[in-house]
C-alpha cells in the first residue's frame, strides 16, 4: 500500500523543489533586470511579483514536504493539526501575488509614461547638445571677432599719431598711447601709477578749469585750444577733443581725450602770414621810400648850404639836419627791407662772419660791459651760398637787440653748429628780460618795437627776416620773461645748393 504512493510522493516533493528553484531563478533574473534599469517600472513590478511567487513557492513546498514527512512518519494527526496554518500561509501568499498582479496595468501605464518622457528628454537632450555645439561655435566666432576688433582698436590706439588719453571720473590718467607719452614728455608709469591729473599738462591752470567745466556741463568738448607745458619747459599749442564715456552697466564713468599738436602748423601759418605781410609792406615801403628820399636829399642839401651861409642860425639848422639824417636812415632801412637785391652770392664761412661781427662790435661802447661768449662749430667749415655783407648785417642787428635786452651789462652767447640734416644754425642767446608772450608773434613785423621813441625804427628784425628768407633759410625766436631770448637762424649748407648763383 505504501509502495503505491511512492510516485505521488516523488512528484509532490520534486514538484515542490522545482517550483522553489524556478521561483528563485525568476527572482534572480528580475533583480538583474532591475539593476540594469532602475527607472523601469515594469522591471520593478516583475521584481515584486517574483518575490511574491518565491514566497508562495517556499510556503507551498514547505507544506507539501512537511505533510509527506509527517504521513510517512505515522504522525498524520500532527499534519491535520498544522494543515490549516499551512493553507492559510499559502492563501495569504497567493492573495499577495494576486494583489500585485492587479497593479500590472497601472504599472505598465506608468512605465509607458516614463518611457515616453525619457524619449522626449533624450530628444530634448539631443537638441540641447546641438544648440550647445552651435552656441559654442558662435561663442568661438564672436570671441575671434571680438579679439580681432580689440586688436584693431589697440593698433589704432598704439599707432595713432595724435595723443589719446583715457581718464577716470576725476580726470586721473588711466591709459595713454605712445604719441601721448612723446607729446607730454612724462614717463607712462609716472602718469598711470601716480594717477597724474590731466590738468598737470596745462601751462595755465585757468585753461584746464575752463575745459573741465565745459566737458562736465556739456559732456563733450571739440577742438578746444590750449597750451601744454612739457617737463623740459617747452610749451606746445594743442587742440583738445573730449567726451564722457559711461561704459557698460555697472562701470564707472570715464573721459576720453584726443589731443593734436598744432604748434608747427600754427607756426607755419604765422610764417606764411608774416611772409605775405612783409611782401605787401615791402612793395609799399619801396614806393614810399623812393618818393621821400628825393625831397629829403633836397632838404638836407639846402640845410647844409644854409649852415655855411647863415652861421647865426646854426643851432636851428643843425636840428633840421639831424632829423633829416634820421629820416634818411629810416628810408634807407625801408629800401633795405623792400629791396629784391642784386648783390653777388658766393661761398660764405659762417664762423668767419660771426667772428668779424664780434670783433667789430667789441670796440663799441655799448658792448664794453657785456660778456660775449662764442661756441663755434668745430670740424667741417660752415660754408653756405650767400651774401656775406647781408648776413653780417643780420647778426649785427641781433647782437644790438640782445645788447638792449641785457641793458648793456649782461651776457650774450653765440653758438654755431651743423645738424645731421645739413642745416647750419646760428643761435644768439641773451639773459635779458625776455619778450612778452603777446609780442612774440609780432616781433618780425615792420616798425614794431618795444624800445622807447627815438631808440629804434622797428625795421632791424624785419630786414633780417627778409634777408634770411632770401637765403632760403628760416629764423625762429624763443623767449621767457626774465630768463632771456634765443634767436635761431637756420641756413642750408653749401652742398645742397646747385651752384654759386647771383640773385636777380
Amino acid at each position: 500500500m505504501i509502495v503505491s504512493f511512492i510516485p505521488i510522493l516523488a512528484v509532490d516533493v520534486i514538484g515542490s523543489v522545482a517550483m522553489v528553484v524556478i521561483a528563485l531563478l525568476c527572482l534572480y533574473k528580475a533583480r538583474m533586470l532591475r539593476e540594469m534599469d532602475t527607472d523601469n517600472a515594469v522591471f520593478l513590478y516583475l521584481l515584486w511579483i517574483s518575490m511574491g511567487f518565491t514566497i508562495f513557492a517556499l510556503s507551498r513546498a514547505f507544506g507539501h514536504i512537511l505533510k509527506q514527512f509527517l504521513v510517512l512518519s505515522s504522525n498524520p494527526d500532527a499534519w491535520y493539526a498544522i494543515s490549516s496554518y499551512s493553507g492559510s500561509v499559502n492563501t495569504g501568499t497567493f492573495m499577495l501575488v494576486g494583489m500585485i498582479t492587479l497593479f500590472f496595468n497601472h504599472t505598465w501605464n506608468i512605465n509607458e509614461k516614463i518611457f515616453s518622457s525619457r524619449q522626449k528628454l533624450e530628444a530634448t537632450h539631443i537638441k540641447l547638445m546641438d544648440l550647445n555645439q552651435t552656441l559654442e561655435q558662435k561663442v568661438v566666432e564672436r570671441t575671434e571677432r571680438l579679439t580681432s576688433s580689440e586688436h584693431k582698436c589697440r593698433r589704432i590706439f598704439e599707432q595713432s599719431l595724435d595723443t589719446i588719453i583715457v581718464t577716470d571720473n576725476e580726470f586721473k590718467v588711466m591709459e595713454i598711447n605712445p604719441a601721448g607719452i612723446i607729446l607730454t614728455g612724462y614717463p607712462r608709469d609716472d602718469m598711470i601709477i601716480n594717477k597724474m591729473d590731466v590738468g598737470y599738462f596745462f601751462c595755465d591752470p585757468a585753461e584746464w578749469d575752463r575745459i573741465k567745466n565745459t566737458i562736465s556741463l556739456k559732456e563733450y568738448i571739440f577742438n578746444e585750444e590750449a597750451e601744454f607745458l612739457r617737463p623740459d619747459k617747452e610749451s606746445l599749442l594743442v587742440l583738445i577733443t573730449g567726451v564722457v564715456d559711461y561704459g557698460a552697466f555697472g562701470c564707472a564713468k570715464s573721459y576720453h581725450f584726443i589731443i593734436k599738436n598744432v604748434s608747427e602748423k600754427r607756426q607755419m601759418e604765422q610764417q606764411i602770414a608774416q611772409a605775405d605781410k612783409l611782401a605787401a609792406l615791402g612793395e609799399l615801403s619801396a614806393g614810399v621810400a623812393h618818393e621821400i628820399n628825393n625831397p629829403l636829399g633836397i632838404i638836407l642839401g639846402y640845410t647844409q648850404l644854409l649852415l655855411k651861409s647863415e652861421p647865426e642860425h646854426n643851432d636851428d639848422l643843425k636840428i633840421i639836419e639831424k632829423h633829416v639824417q634820421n629820416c634818411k636812415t629810416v628810408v634807407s632801412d625801408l629800401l633795405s627791407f623792400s629791396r629784391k637785391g642784386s648783390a653777388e652770392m658766393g661761398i660764405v664761412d659762417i664762423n668767419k662772419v660771426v667772428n668779424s661781427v664780434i670783433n667789430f662790435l667789441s670796440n663799441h661802447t655799448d658792448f664794453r660791459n657785456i660778456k660775449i661768449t662764442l661756441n663755434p662749430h668745430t670740424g667741417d667749415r660752415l660754408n653756405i651760398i650767400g651774401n656775406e655783407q647781408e648776413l653780417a648785417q643780420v647778426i649785427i642787428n641781433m647782437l644790438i637787440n640782445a645788447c638792449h635786452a641785457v641793458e648793456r651789462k649782461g651776457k650774450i652767447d653765440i653758438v654755431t653748429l651743423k645738424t645731421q640734416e645739413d642745416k647750419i644754425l646760428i643761435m644768439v642767446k641773451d639773459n635779458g628780460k625776455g619778450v612778452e608772450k603777446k609780442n612774440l608773434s609780432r616781433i618780425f613785423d615792420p616798425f614794431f618795437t618795444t624800445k622807447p621813441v627815438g631808440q629804434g625804427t622797428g625795421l632791424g628784425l624785419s630786414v633780417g627776416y627778409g634777408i634770411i628768407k632770401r637765403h632760403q633759410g628760416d629764423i625762429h625766436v624763443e623767449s621767457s620773461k626774465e630768463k632771456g631770448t634765443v634767436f635761431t637762424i637756420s641756413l642750408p649748407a653749401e652742398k645742397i645748393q646747385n651752384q654759386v648763383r647771383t640773385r636777380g
Side-chain angles (χ1 to χ4, degrees), residues 250-442:
C251 294
K253 180 173 68 174
S254 62
Y255 293 90
H256 298 184
F257 295 95
I258 297 178
I259 302 172
K260 297 178 181 289
N261 183 1
V262 295
S263 296
E264 294 183 0
K265 180 182 178 182
R266 184 59 55 85
Q267 184 178 358
M268 186 177 297
E269 291 174 350
Q270 291 175 350
Q271 289 177 351
I272 293 173
Q274 181 77 11
D276 292 342
K277 187 190 303 181
L278 293 178
L281 287 174
E283 297 294 335
L284 178 63
S285 298
V288 172
H290 282 98
E291 292 296 327
I292 294 177
N293 204 32
N294 291 333
L296 285 177
I298 295 172
I299 294 172
L300 182 60
Y302 278 104
T303 300
Q304 291 173 346
L305 289 175
L306 289 174
L307 281 172
K308 295 178 181 180
S309 61
E310 301 288 341
E312 67 273 11
H313 299 294
N314 276 0
D315 293 338
D316 295 333
L317 291 172
K318 285 182 177 180
I319 291 173
I320 294 173
E321 184 185 28
K322 175 185 176 181
H323 287 287
V324 170
Q325 290 287 5
N326 289 338
C327 290
K328 285 186 68 66
T329 300
V330 173
V331 171
S332 177
D333 288 341
L334 282 173
L335 287 173
S336 297
F337 170 71
S338 61
R339 185 176 62 225
K340 303 300 180 184
S342 58
E344 183 178 349
M345 305 284 279
I347 298 177
V348 179
D349 185 347
I350 292 298
N351 280 337
K352 180 180 177 181
V353 174
V354 173
N355 276 318
S356 63
V357 169
I358 293 175
N359 292 333
F360 170 73
L361 292 178
S362 60
N363 297 319
H364 197 281
T365 56
D366 289 345
F367 286 84
R368 288 178 182 175
N369 296 323
I370 295 176
K371 181 180 178 181
I372 300 178
T373 303
L374 173 62
N375 295 306
H377 174 79
T378 57
D380 298 337
R381 295 181 62 184
L382 302 185
N383 290 343
I384 69 166
I385 302 298
N387 182 275
E388 183 174 345
Q389 183 178 358
E390 287 186 345
L391 293 172
Q393 178 186 353
V394 174
I395 298 172
I396 289 172
N397 286 339
M398 286 191 174
L399 290 175
I400 291 175
N401 285 338
C403 173
H404 293 159
V406 300
E407 298 178 348
R408 298 179 177 85
K409 55 182 179 181
K411 180 181 177 182
I412 300 174
D413 295 325
I414 304 173
V415 179
T416 61
L417 56 91
K418 185 176 182 180
T419 67
Q420 294 180 350
E421 294 79 18
D422 287 328
K423 294 288 185 180
I424 293 176
L425 302 183
I426 308 169
M427 292 183 286
V428 179
K429 180 180 180 181
D430 64 65
N431 63 346
K433 59 185 178 181
V435 181
E436 294 185 10
K437 182 178 177 181
K438 64 180 181 180
N439 293 330
L440 281 176
S441 61
R442 304 178 58 198

Side-chain angles (χ1 to χ4, degrees), residues 6 21 32 61 128 224 254 310 340 380 467 479 489:
I6 290 176
V21 172
M32 289 182 61
L128 286 175
E224 290 285 342
S254 62
E310 301 288 341
K340 303 300 180 184
D380 298 337
I467 291 173
S479 185
I489 298 173

Side-chain angles (χ1 to χ4, degrees), residues 100-114:
I100 294 174
T101 306
L102 293 175
F103 289 98
F104 175 77
N105 187 54
H106 185 64
T107 304
W108 181 263
N109 291 334
I110 292 174
N111 187 69
E112 286 292 322
K113 290 180 180 179
I114 293 173

